[in-house]
Amino acid sequence: MSRAPVLLVGFAVTNRAVCAQLVERGHLVVPVDDAPDDHARLYAEELGVGLLEQPDPDDWPALAADARAIVPTPGLPESHPCLGAAADAGTPVISEFDLAQQWDARPTLAVTGTNGKTTVTLLAAAMLEASGIPVSVAGNTETPLVEAIRADRPEAFVVEASSFRLGHSQCYRPTVGAWLNFAPDHLDVHESLTSYRAAKAALWNRADEHTTSVVNRDDPVVVAHAPDEGRVVTFGLDDGDFRVSEGALWAWSEKLADTFELHRSQPHELSNHLAAAAVAMAGGAHAQGVRAALLSWTGLPHRVALVAEHDGVRFFDDSKATTPHAACAAVRSVGRAVLIAGGRNKGLDLGPMAEVADQLRSVVAIGEAAEEVQRAFAGRCPVTIAGSMEEAVRTAAEGARSGDAVLLSPGCASFDWYGSYAERGDHFSLLVRELIGGSP
């Protein structure tokens, strides 16, 4: 075994799990972090590895040249000097997916896409479990794949596969790989939209006769990257192996469920249902298990979730929508609305949000990107800037009429005012309930 170290660049949840596995297997590991906290230091100490803190950019050529491989933390900017140094030195940059596949031969069912990954991952897992197939959910979740493989119970893993992991994967080949959709995102991490697209497309780079690729027929970018090798299964609202027809969801010629039976049946949700069914059935789920999971699925928090209805106005929390693409889908699903949008922009053009301006009564702009939101809708619909979520909720409610929706669908990240999109959505929901409770 080589005694050259594996460098772990960034020492948060995923790379701590990677470190533990490498140490157990007798590998030399050097974790590196530009801004470590006390938890990182304590974890490194417990594993008996030395944590290298805040290396100078000029140190990276030597560090990379001496390393056997580099594992970047998910979300490490592509501009980080370790990546350029690795390329110059010819040192492989790999992902936790690569390592997990080397260490465990059980099937993985991977789901990527700009929007809907978590929903499809969890729903597909529920379909498989309802079909009697024990699975574990991993990847871009609380449990990295390298951690999930420790458990003996799962027969397979349903993996939420972010571009951050896929883009650095060198040998990862999922048994089933689903690409849901593509829209600009994460340009604060990826150097360009081309780089982001290539990272997503890496899901299918190693497709072969042993793999199934699940392709969204409704997304031209996804269709353009569909692999020539292996089995290909398609889904789409109007056309595909999995589709909506005659008011029902179908898998080829088999009806899975009527849409009126579902708790959530907005267009983007139906697309997610179809994708999950395609993934699950490619992984061995049967139609009865898929149907059972569909009928019990009530959706996830902060995703066009109805908070309350008062005086004919519905209030929706869609705080998870951190891209213009997701915000537009939410507006289309709720109809006439007052939109609360803004936050911390992830390097994206917010202009596409104006595509739904004709469905908006007005917009309330919030956070660091408030002025960008205002410019995006200039001349298309009225925009008010609010200095707090309290002001935003109050202003939106005052501007809504009976039959409208007040929709928090920010199109931006939450990290200007909040620690997470969940915290933002929870605060919005609390304020809505307080407002309604205080109304005569």
Side-chain angles (χ1 to χ4, degrees), residues 160-196:
E160 183 175 332
S162 69
S163 62
F164 304 151
R165 287 167 163 87
L166 289 173
H168 294 303
S169 295
Q170 303 302 315
C171 64
Y172 178 59
R173 185 188 63 184
T175 311
V176 179
W179 188 354
L180 306 180
N181 45 57
F182 181 80
D185 197 4
H186 299 306
L187 297 185
D188 52 344
V189 172
H190 295 283
E191 291 185 333
S192 66
L193 190 61
T194 299
S195 175
Y196 175 52

Side-chain angles (χ1 to χ4, degrees), residues 8 90 101 104 136 172 232 242 283 346 382 398:
L8 309 181
Q101 185 166 268
D104 194 287
S136 178
Y172 178 59
V232 173
F242 290 73
K346 297 187 285 183
E398 290 171 351

Side-chain angles (χ1 to χ4, degrees), residues 87-430:
D88 292 342
T91 300
V93 177
I94 62 175
S95 74
E96 66 135 337
F97 289 172
D98 292 326
L99 293 171
Q101 185 166 268
Q102 291 176 30
W103 297 333
D104 194 287
R106 284 172 286 184
T108 63
L109 290 66
V111 178
T112 198
T114 303
N115 299 306
K117 292 187 298 297
T118 304
T119 295
V120 172
T121 297
L122 294 176
L123 181 52
M127 292 170 174
L128 288 157
E129 289 280 356
S131 300
I133 302 173
V135 298
S136 178
V137 172
N140 191 40
T141 67
E142 294 180 356
T143 307
L145 185 56
V146 291
E147 179 68 25
I149 62 174
R150 290 178 178 271
D152 294 330
R153 174 185 176 274
E155 294 180 10
F157 302 92
V158 188
V159 179
E160 183 175 332
S162 69
S163 62
F164 304 151
R165 287 167 163 87
L166 289 173
H168 294 303
S169 295
Q170 303 302 315
C171 64
Y172 178 59
R173 185 188 63 184
T175 311
V176 179
W179 188 354
L180 306 180
N181 45 57
F182 181 80
D185 197 4
H186 299 306
L187 297 185
D188 52 344
V189 172
H190 295 283
E191 291 185 333
S192 66
L193 190 61
T194 299
S195 175
Y196 175 52
R197 184 171 58 246
K200 290 293 189 187
L203 176 77
W204 292 332
N205 281 354
R206 288 160 286 280
D208 62 16
E209 67 272 15
H210 303 295
T211 66
T212 298
S213 301
V214 177
V215 178
N216 182 1
R217 288 286 296 272
D218 295 332
D219 192 301
V221 173
V222 174
V223 171
H225 286 84
D228 296 325
E229 302 296 326
R231 179 176 181 238
V232 173
V233 173
T234 62
F235 70 94
L237 290 177
D238 299 315
D239 186 27
D241 301 315
F242 290 73
R243 65 195 179 281
V244 180
S245 179
E246 300 175 346
L249 273 60
W250 296 80
W252 293 284
S253 60
E254 185 166 13
K255 182 194 288 191
L256 299 174
D258 289 305
T259 57
F260 72 80
E261 299 179 278
L262 306 174
H263 294 278
R264 307 287 288 268
S265 58
Q266 294 158 329
H268 69 281
E269 291 165 334
L270 292 178
S271 183
N272 288 339
H273 294 343
L274 293 168
V279 169
M281 295 183 79
H286 52 62
Q288 295 90 338
V290 169
R291 174 177 169 78
L294 283 171
L295 297 189
S296 63
W297 182 258
T298 57
L300 298 175
H302 313 298
R303 294 157 173 86
V304 200
L306 180 63
V307 176
E309 184 170 354
H310 182 71
D311 287 344
V313 177
R314 296 161 299 146
F315 294 81
F316 289 95
D317 165 19
D318 190 44
S319 183
K320 180 63 172 67
T322 60
T323 67
H325 179 265
C328 287
V331 171
R332 293 186 180 106
S333 71
V334 303
R336 191 73 168 169
V338 176
L339 174 66
I340 301 175
R344 176 165 292 172
N345 193 350
K346 297 187 285 183
L348 308 178
D349 176 12
L350 302 187
M353 295 178 75
E355 293 174 4
V356 294
D358 59 346
Q359 290 183 234
L360 298 176
R361 191 169 298 283
S362 61
V363 175
V364 181
I366 61 174
E368 291 178 0
E371 292 184 358
E372 292 179 72
V373 172
Q374 186 178 48
R375 289 193 295 271
F377 288 99
R380 302 294 297 275
C381 68
V383 180
T384 302
I385 292 179
S388 66
M389 187 63 80
E390 290 86 347
E391 183 183 352
V393 170
R394 184 174 63 253
T395 301
E398 290 171 351
R401 300 177 188 174
S402 180
D404 290 351
V406 169
L407 172 66
L408 171 68
S409 192
C412 294
S414 59
F415 302 119
D416 51 349
W417 288 359
Y418 299 98
S420 67
Y421 72 81
E423 182 183 333
R424 176 172 61 187
D426 288 342
H427 189 210
F428 167 80
S429 299
L430 173 65

